Amino acid sequence: VLDLAVTAEAGWTGGRRLRQPIAVGVTGQRITWVGHPAAVRASARRLHLPGVLLPGLTDHHVHSSQVDVRALLAGGLTTVVDLGGVPAEIWPLAAGSATAADRPRIHPAGPFLTAPGGYPTRQDWAPAGIAWEVADPESAAAAVRALAPHHPVTIKVALNADAGPVLDDVTLAAVVGQSRLAGLSVTAHVQGTGQAERAAAAGVRTLAHTPWTEILGDALIAHLAQTAVVVSTLDIHGWGTPAPECHTALANLSRFHRAGGVLRYGTDLGNGPLPLGVNGREIDLLGTAGLTGHGILAAMAGSRLARGAVADLTVVPADPLADPATLSHAVPVLKSGIAVGQHVPHISAG
Ligand SMILES: [Zn+2]
């Protein structure tokens, strides 16, 4: 039974051109077909949207307990990856979030693992409990074992030599090794000379920020492009008035991108004055780093407009392949097949 047909003037199904026009059939939480609006059965409930239909959008670096998560969904984000939160707050916030109509789907990492006294234990913004201090390989492995039953999306480690002590090589190796045994990847905050290289050597799979401390060497860029995903977070360096660190990060990210590396849109929401929702400045900076509209969309798309995919839909007013800035006007439509946002009242019976 086709529950709902969402139609629009155009939609993005993953390619370098839009499909015009488009209809997306949704049953329960899933997309059950994608086709032409003329093929929609007369009995289906309908929702017609002006603009361009997109899959749900994801911010791959947020701290959701430090923002109003309802505003993030209203701002076009149907999914967020939470890269550091207090366990007692973040597990309940994430539970049930996949089908909640009032907040994005939240994929949490849980607390930071860090060296005793390491980042972010001494930061003003960091609430008690957001970091677990691990002193040696045994306590690192025990921390990962304690987190695994909560099914974190990744294990977050801090390697910030600018803000305090960092995990030594054997303790970092224990985090990565124990995570691998638990089927989990490791995501690192790298800051301070040489920390990106240490993370790469240890087998860290995701960098939570584009490295900004130093211009990375060609061999390291090539290695990262083969082995790691980089979350952009370019706008944290100045929030609209790019600081010198922004230029270093841009140089690293554009070389990583040219080397074939996979990057993800992420903003570090919850940390600093960032817009609640899709950040147009981050999108502009991704363009400066050399990404096309297609590349930016691919870095943000949390799902696909395809049969079998989870039914997360957003809509934007213009063609984001030609004009990526339109993504900052994204409005959520469906999340796991549930109507969300301002379009809810406009669904008509078949
Ligand atoms: Zn962060």
Side-chain angles (χ1 to χ4, degrees), residues 61-63 83 112 119 125 156 189 208-209 268 271:
H61 186 154
V62 309
H63 299 280
L83 289 183
F112 291 74
Y119 180 87
W125 58 263
K156 176 79 181 284
H189 172 121
H209 304 276
D268 208 2
N271 207 343

Side-chain angles (χ1 to χ4, degrees), residues 23-233:
V24 173
V26 175
T27 302
Q29 297 187 17
R30 298 274 160 187
I31 293 173
T32 42
W33 70 264
V34 176
H36 194 282
V40 174
R41 280 207 307 266
S43 60
R45 287 188 305 145
R46 286 165 182 270
L47 175 60
H48 181 73
L49 300 167
V52 178
L53 198 60
L54 304 177
L57 302 177
T58 299
D59 188 322
H60 294 82
H61 186 154
V62 309
H63 299 280
S64 47
S65 53
Q66 293 176 231
V67 293
D68 177 359
V69 287
R70 293 166 301 183
L72 303 190
L73 178 60
L77 299 169
T78 52
T79 301
V80 296
V81 178
D82 189 293
L83 289 183
V86 177
E89 293 172 6
I90 192 62
W91 305 136
L93 194 62
S97 64
T99 52
D102 66 342
R103 60 193 190 275
R105 179 184 296 97
I106 300 170
H107 293 305
F112 291 74
L113 303 187
T114 193
Y119 180 87
T121 60
R122 295 171 185 171
Q123 309 315 117
D124 292 340
W125 58 263
I130 200 170
W132 287 5
E133 299 174 51
V134 294
D136 49 47
E138 291 72 29
S139 56
V144 174
R145 282 195 299 269
L147 291 171
H150 296 280
H151 305 292
V153 67
T154 186
I155 297 293
K156 176 79 181 284
V157 296
L159 295 175
N160 182 349
D162 287 350
V166 292
L167 302 176
D168 60 29
D169 285 345
V170 287
T171 305
L172 178 58
V175 172
V176 174
Q178 189 65 42
S179 297
R180 205 168 273 161
L181 285 174
L184 297 166
S185 69
V186 174
T187 297
H189 172 121
V190 298
Q191 185 176 349
T193 305
Q195 297 303 317
E197 183 140 35
R198 292 189 64 226
V204 165
R205 292 280 306 279
T206 303
L207 299 186
H209 304 276
T210 305
W212 71 78
T213 301
E214 65 213 310
I215 297 288
L216 304 180
D218 290 339
L220 179 54
I221 290 282
H223 179 74
L224 286 170
Q226 295 291 320
T227 60
V229 169
V230 171
V231 183
S232 57
T233 75

